[in-house]
Amino acid sequence: MNKIFFFSNNAGKQEEIKTLFKNFRINIFFPEDFKITYEPKEVGNSFANNAKIKSLFGYEKTHIPCFADDSGISIEALGWKPNIMSKRFIDSFKNSTECFNYIIKKTKESGKIKAYFKTSICYTFEKNYHVLFEGKIEGIISEKIKGKNGFGYDPIFLPNGSLKTFGEMTEREKNFHSHRGIAINKLINFLFN
Ligand code: ITT
């Protein structure tokens, strides 16, 4: 197998995936390579279900073994939400700064500072063959918005034991710790061992 399709239109995820696969002899394709501009509705009730909806869709469109990522942040001060609604939650604010300020305020008011990121990666290599890989990283919400790297909630997430938010890390540093790095390393082991 020398081809794999990553079905995601999220530029931040795509960059991380390119770096994680850099040392492996495999060609990675993205939706734009096939001019696929639409996506299936993410109607699943878990990261795993949504990842499977996306990887099956990508496989059916191309017949290339396909993987997809569904991920998000869970925040203690928000009752462990937004979870699978992470994209919709951040998009419901005027901009990401407003969303981050809201989360930081709720965190300070409640004193509940914990948060975690979770990723489910689903790999579909035939119509009815799916394998799931998961990754989770625990941390806290930072007191301030810090860093401009990464995407999504990276500037307010401090992994446990780190002085830098994901937004202050290089891509390599983030991949080393992150939920996505953990899950993708499991997929890489599955593919290449
Ligand atoms: P695709 O479905 O096309 O892959 P998406 O952005 O819609 O892209 P999700 O449905 O998985 O992806 O939404 C996950 C959201 O959670 C994402 O848009 C970010 O806001 C947030 N998120 C996920 N992983 C993250 C990470 O590593 N760093 C920061 N935020 C992240």
Side-chain angles (χ1 to χ4, degrees), residues 5 12 19 31 49 80 82 99 111-112 124 129 139 144 166 179 182 185-186:
F5 178 25
T19 306
N49 285 344
W80 299 108
C99 176
K112 294 178 177 169
T124 298
Y129 289 86
K144 287 186 187 150
F166 271 170
H179 51 309
I182 294 166
N185 280 324
K186 293 179 186 173

Side-chain angles (χ1 to χ4, degrees), residues 8-13 39-42 47 50 54 69-75 81-96 99-100 103 117-118 151-153 180:
S8 171
N9 287 305
N10 179 317
K13 287 186 189 177
E39 334 184 319
K41 284 215 168 17
E42 296 181 25
F47 291 123
N50 283 331
K54 292 188 265 190
D69 161 304
D70 202 63
S71 47
I73 192 167
S74 296
I75 298 169
K81 290 182 177 146
N83 195 261
I84 61 169
M85 306 296 273
S86 293
K87 180 162 166 39
R88 271 164 270 187
F89 184 72
I90 200 167
D91 288 349
S92 71
F93 289 83
K94 209 167 69 196
N95 53 51
S96 50
C99 176
F100 299 158
I103 293 168
F117 272 112
K118 240 181 125 172
F151 67 98
Y153 298 83
R180 185 163 301 99

Side-chain angles (χ1 to χ4, degrees), residues 3 7 13 19-20 23 28 33 65 70 74 84 90 92 102 104 116 127 148 150 155 159 171-172 190:
K3 280 191 208 170
F7 184 71
K13 287 186 189 177
T19 306
L20 283 158
N23 297 327
I28 306 186
D33 295 319
D70 202 63
S74 296
I84 61 169
I90 200 167
S92 71
Y102 173 83
I104 290 170
Y116 63 85
K127 188 167 166 35
K148 292 194 178 350
E171 204 173 88
R172 192 175 283 272
F190 177 82

